[in-house]
Amino acid sequence: MPDALRAYVRGIDAMNRAIGRCAMYLLFALIGVLLWSSVSKTFFTPTLWTLETAQFIMVGYYILGGPYAMQMGSNVRMDFFYGDWSPRRKAMADVITIWFLMFYLGVLLYGAISSTAYSLGYFGTEPFSFFADLARAFVTGGPTAASEVMGHMERSPSAWRPYVWPVKVVLCLGVALMILQCTAEFFRDIARLRGEEI
């Protein structure tokens, strides 16, 4: 296996390990928000922000922890046959089936990018050109010019009405990290088939 691929796999593993281990602590933030929700409903006026904040934190916890879970092999599998196979046979099956996952994640990423563009006020069919225009406006004219490119930003239809673009950006980031982890796993499985370990 070329050294560049080894470095790529190790780099992706290190990045997703660091992000995943940080995302683990979002569980404590989630517990804090839900605890405050219970306390405020019992003793004070119920707060409007707790339910959606808990949902947003859960999205971050789940989507940013996914690549780390895949790296650790703790993702859910159908082990009826797979569990009894040899490491080489598992690697052979993974080399084939990872392409189905990558296709699904590619479609999911495109949808997440389109949804993020929509949440920033873009209602067209070319989200990548919107983000290119947004970046160009920000670099050349700063935040004021970038705000002119954006339209009416999407808000949640709840009483609290938070902007939804931050959670959609986290979704895009998490799916992109999962795609990177899938490519690292693919190269790791190719190495296993060749009798090497990365």
Side-chain angles (χ1 to χ4, degrees):
M1 191 63 67
D3 289 339
L5 286 180
R6 288 178 185 277
Y8 172 80
V9 170
R10 289 182 183 138
I12 295 299
D13 282 351
M15 178 179 63
N16 280 332
R17 185 180 306 112
I19 292 170
R21 294 196 56 90
C22 289
M24 285 188 327
Y25 295 105
L26 288 174
L27 192 60
F28 295 110
L30 180 63
I31 290 169
V33 168
L34 294 176
L35 181 64
W36 174 252
S37 177
S38 298
V39 168
S40 69
K41 286 177 184 173
T42 305
F43 300 109
F44 310 112
T45 303
T47 54
L48 299 174
W49 57 268
T50 52
L51 176 64
E52 283 175 305
T53 301
Q55 291 171 343
F56 292 166
I57 291 171
M58 189 65 188
V59 167
Y61 173 75
Y62 177 78
I63 201 76
L64 295 176
Y68 182 56
M70 176 183 244
Q71 181 187 124
M72 300 302 293
S74 58
N75 53 316
V76 176
R77 294 182 187 264
M78 296 299 291
D79 280 348
F80 188 67
F81 297 110
Y82 187 88
D84 295 331
W85 290 352
S86 68
R88 183 174 170 79
R89 190 168 182 187
K90 286 179 183 178
M92 192 177 305
D94 289 344
V95 162
I96 296 166
T97 58
I98 196 99
W99 292 104
F100 296 104
L101 178 60
M102 296 267 282
F103 174 76
Y104 170 74
L105 289 171
V107 171
L108 190 63
L109 181 61
Y110 181 78
I113 289 170
S114 297
S115 183
T116 304
Y118 180 84
S119 71
L120 291 173
Y122 176 72
F123 305 113
T125 58
E126 299 292 331
F128 295 104
S129 64
F130 165 73
F131 283 113
D133 292 343
L134 185 63
R136 193 176 309 109
F138 184 77
V139 168
T140 58
T144 305
S147 66
E148 291 174 6
V149 173
M150 293 187 296
H152 180 73
M153 296 201 311
E154 181 184 15
R155 296 177 84 116
S156 173
S158 66
W160 181 38
R161 296 189 41 77
Y163 290 109
V164 295
W165 68 264
V167 75
K168 291 185 178 187
V169 169
V170 169
L171 179 62
C172 291
L173 176 64
V175 173
L177 291 173
M178 183 64 101
I179 290 172
L180 291 175
Q181 188 62 43
C182 284
T183 59
E185 295 297 324
F186 174 75
F187 292 132
R188 183 177 287 115
D189 289 329
I190 292 291
R192 283 189 188 123
L193 289 175
R194 297 176 61 173
E196 303 173 26
E197 284 296 326
I198 296 181

